[in-house]
Amino acid sequence: MRRDVQMIFQDPYSSLNPRHTIGTIVSAPFRLQGVEPEGGLKSHVQELLQLVGLSPEHYNRYPHEFSGGQRQRIGIARALALRPKLVVADEPVSALDVSIQAQVVNLLDDLQDELGLTYVIIAHDLSVIRHVSDRIAVMYLGKIVELTDRKSLYSAPMHPYTKALMSAVPVPDPRRRGLKSERILLKGDVPSPISPPSGCRFHTRCWKATEVCKTQEPPLLALKTGHQVACHHPENAPDQVPGQQVLAAAREAVELVTKAKPDAAPVVEPEATGPAPSEAPASGKLAKGDAATPSQPAEDSPEV
C-alpha cells in the first residue's frame, strides 16, 4: 500500500531535510521499502530529477541551494520514486510565487499523462482547481457537501456554500469591468469543527436554512447524474423538503453585494495572433501568471 500511495507536501522548505543531499532525499523511498532499482540507485535518482525538470548534477547538492519551485520539484521526484498509483498533493503550489505556480501545475499535468497517475489534490485556489481537476469535492467543516465534475460545479453549483464560493471568484476580463457583479458575503464566524452545529453544518451561515436544517443532517444524494449534494434546499435542483419556512436568523446570515463600476469607454483591443490573455493556450497548459488571480478568503475554501 505504501508503495502505491505517495504524498506531495505543501511546504517545500520544511518537507526536505536540510542536512541531506538531494540524492539522499529522493532515494529514501527505495531504502525504506528495500527496493534496488534496475541500473543502480544513483542512476535512477538522476533520471527522476530529469523527469521533474532538474539536472542530474543536482544529486549532490543541498536543499538550501534551490528556490521554492525547485524544492517542490524535488518533493515531486521523491513522491514518484516508487511509481505510485495514487499521489495525494496537499496544496502543492500555495507556498510558491505566482510566476512559478503555473510551471508546477503544468509539470503535474505532464507527469499524469506520462505515468498514468491519479491525483487527489487538496487546494483552496479555485483557479488552480478548475485547471487540474476532473471531479471536485467541496468540503465544509470536514464534510463533503457537493461532489461533481468540474463543468457542472462551475456552471450550476447546487449547495449554497458552493454558490457563495463561486461568487467570490473574480473574472479577469477587462471587457466586463462595467458590468454588475454580485458577491454573497457570509456573515458570522466559521463554527468549530471539533463541536460542529447540529443538523446541517452550514445552517448557521446559510440564507436558505429552515427548521429541518437545524435538526436533520442532509445525506449526500445524487440529484443529477454524477452530481451529488448534501442539502435540504439545494440551488439549481428541486427542493428536497418543500413547504419549510426560512428561519429568521437565516435572513441575516448573508449580505448580497452588487458592485458596478462607472461607465467606461469601450476597451479597444488590438488584433492578436495568439490566444487572448484570459484564455488558456491551445495546449491546455497554464501560462505564467494564470494562477495569479486571488480566488477567495482562506477560511471559506473547497478542498479537492
Side-chain angles (χ1 to χ4, degrees):
M1 176 65 74
R2 292 182 64 184
R3 293 186 59 176
D4 292 336
V5 181
Q6 294 294 318
M7 179 129 184
I8 300 172
F9 296 96
Q10 176 178 357
D11 188 353
Y13 293 88
S14 62
S15 62
L16 303 180
N17 192 325
R19 294 179 175 85
H20 289 177
T21 65
I22 303 309
T24 302
I25 291 171
V26 178
S27 63
F30 296 108
R31 296 194 307 273
L32 293 173
Q33 294 296 319
V35 177
E36 182 64 32
E38 185 177 350
L41 187 59
K42 181 176 181 179
S43 175
H44 194 75
V45 169
Q46 290 177 328
E47 290 177 4
L48 285 170
L49 293 177
Q50 284 185 301
L51 184 65
V52 298
L54 298 175
S55 170
E57 298 176 357
H58 295 156
Y59 183 89
N60 290 318
R61 294 189 183 181
Y62 288 85
H64 72 271
E65 301 179 61
F66 296 89
S67 65
Q70 289 174 320
R71 294 187 191 197
Q72 193 63 299
R73 289 172 184 265
I74 295 167
I76 294 172
R78 178 177 58 186
L80 299 179
L82 298 175
R83 291 293 190 267
K85 298 176 181 177
L86 174 67
V87 175
V88 180
D90 179 17
E91 297 275 11
V93 297
S94 65
L96 305 178
D97 292 339
V98 170
S99 59
I100 306 299
Q101 289 182 3
Q103 298 177 22
V104 175
V105 169
N106 289 335
L107 172 63
L108 293 173
D109 280 347
D110 292 339
L111 293 173
Q112 184 178 36
D113 294 338
E114 183 175 348
L115 304 177
L117 299 171
T118 298
Y119 292 136
V120 174
I121 299 179
I122 304 165
H124 292 86
D125 191 323
L126 292 175
S127 61
V128 171
I129 292 171
R130 187 169 192 171
H131 180 77
V132 303
S133 302
D134 296 312
R135 289 181 62 77
I136 301 173
V138 181
M139 300 186 71
Y140 184 78
L141 289 184
K143 288 190 71 70
I144 294 177
V145 296
E146 189 162 0
L147 174 63
T148 185
D149 62 88
R150 171 179 54 193
K151 182 178 179 180
S152 298
L153 187 82
Y154 281 83
S155 61
M158 289 189 181
H159 199 280
Y161 176 60
T162 308
K163 185 175 181 180
L165 285 177
M166 295 303 173
S167 75
V169 181
V171 180
D173 187 348
R175 292 169 293 188
R176 299 183 59 181
R177 65 183 181 184
L179 301 179
K180 291 183 178 180
S181 61
E182 291 186 345
R183 169 75 189 278
I184 300 173
L185 298 179
L186 301 178
K187 296 183 178 180
D189 296 328
V190 179
S192 171
I194 299 176
S195 179
S198 60
C200 175
R201 299 188 178 198
F202 186 60
H203 83 264
T204 59
R205 308 177 74 199
C206 181
W207 63 93
K208 304 182 75 174
T210 62
E211 189 64 33
V212 69
C213 301
K214 292 178 60 177
T215 58
Q216 297 181 22
E217 182 175 358
L220 188 66
L221 300 177
L223 301 186
K224 291 183 180 178
T225 302
H227 198 151
Q228 296 174 275
V229 63
C231 183
H232 294 302
H233 311 290
E235 302 279 338
N236 302 308
D239 198 324
Q240 301 302 295
V241 189
Q244 295 284 314
Q245 185 174 1
V246 176
L247 297 174
R251 299 189 182 95
E252 307 295 328
V254 298
E255 178 183 356
L256 187 63
V257 178
T258 302
K259 296 182 179 180
K261 294 186 178 181
D263 294 338
V267 178
V268 180
E269 299 181 353
E271 295 183 1
T273 57
S278 61
E279 297 175 348
S283 63
K285 302 299 181 185
L286 284 175
K288 274 191 177 181
D290 281 356
T293 306
S295 300
Q296 70 287 320
E299 67 173 13
D300 287 335
S301 307
E303 296 183 354
V304 202

